[in-house]
Amino acid sequence: MARIGWRAVVQCAASSIAVELLTFLCLRLRLNVATAVCLYLMALLLSLRASLLVWAVVSFVTVSCLGSFLSPAILSFRVSDPTEAVAIVAFLTTLVVPAQVEAHE
């Protein structure tokens, strides 16, 4: 089993906390899912220099926050509006592409 360095753990923790703070900010400002997706993408692009493992963990945390806190059914993974489901799928697809590019370099 590969050993995970402390640097990766610290990057995961710091990036996850940043995503959670961004989620709190989006909730306080009552932003819709499409606006939150744009903010999340900007935040994740800043952490693009991290390892693939960090990118995957932070992407999972981000999609979880987006689905459970910012969709209309708060604290649930159910998305009632089809346009918001499309935004979440587009967001997840946008996260996978840089991870694949990074994996093949």
Side-chain angles (χ1 to χ4, degrees), residues 36-70:
V37 164
C38 293
L39 292 174
Y40 282 141
L41 283 176
M42 288 174 36
L44 285 173
L45 287 176
L46 294 176
S47 68
L48 189 60
R49 305 280 281 158
S51 69
L52 186 60
L53 175 67
V54 173
W55 181 263
V57 169
V58 174
S59 298
F60 176 75
V61 169
T62 304
V63 170
S64 298
C65 286
L66 183 63
S68 62
F69 293 113
L70 296 174

Side-chain angles (χ1 to χ4, degrees), residues 10-90:
V10 170
Q11 286 176 339
C12 282
S15 298
S16 296
I17 290 170
V19 166
E20 291 165 7
L21 289 174
L22 184 59
T23 302
F24 177 74
L25 180 69
C26 290
L27 284 171
R28 295 290 288 170
L29 295 175
R30 298 179 193 260
L31 299 177
N32 62 3
V33 173
T35 306
V37 164
C38 293
L39 292 174
Y40 282 141
L41 283 176
M42 288 174 36
L44 285 173
L45 287 176
L46 294 176
S47 68
L48 189 60
R49 305 280 281 158
S51 69
L52 186 60
L53 175 67
V54 173
W55 181 263
V57 169
V58 174
S59 298
F60 176 75
V61 169
T62 304
V63 170
S64 298
C65 286
L66 183 63
S68 62
F69 293 113
L70 296 174
S71 63
I74 302 288
L75 298 176
S76 170
F77 283 107
R78 177 182 290 170
V79 179
S80 59
D81 188 8
T83 58
E84 291 182 355
V86 170
I88 292 172
V89 169

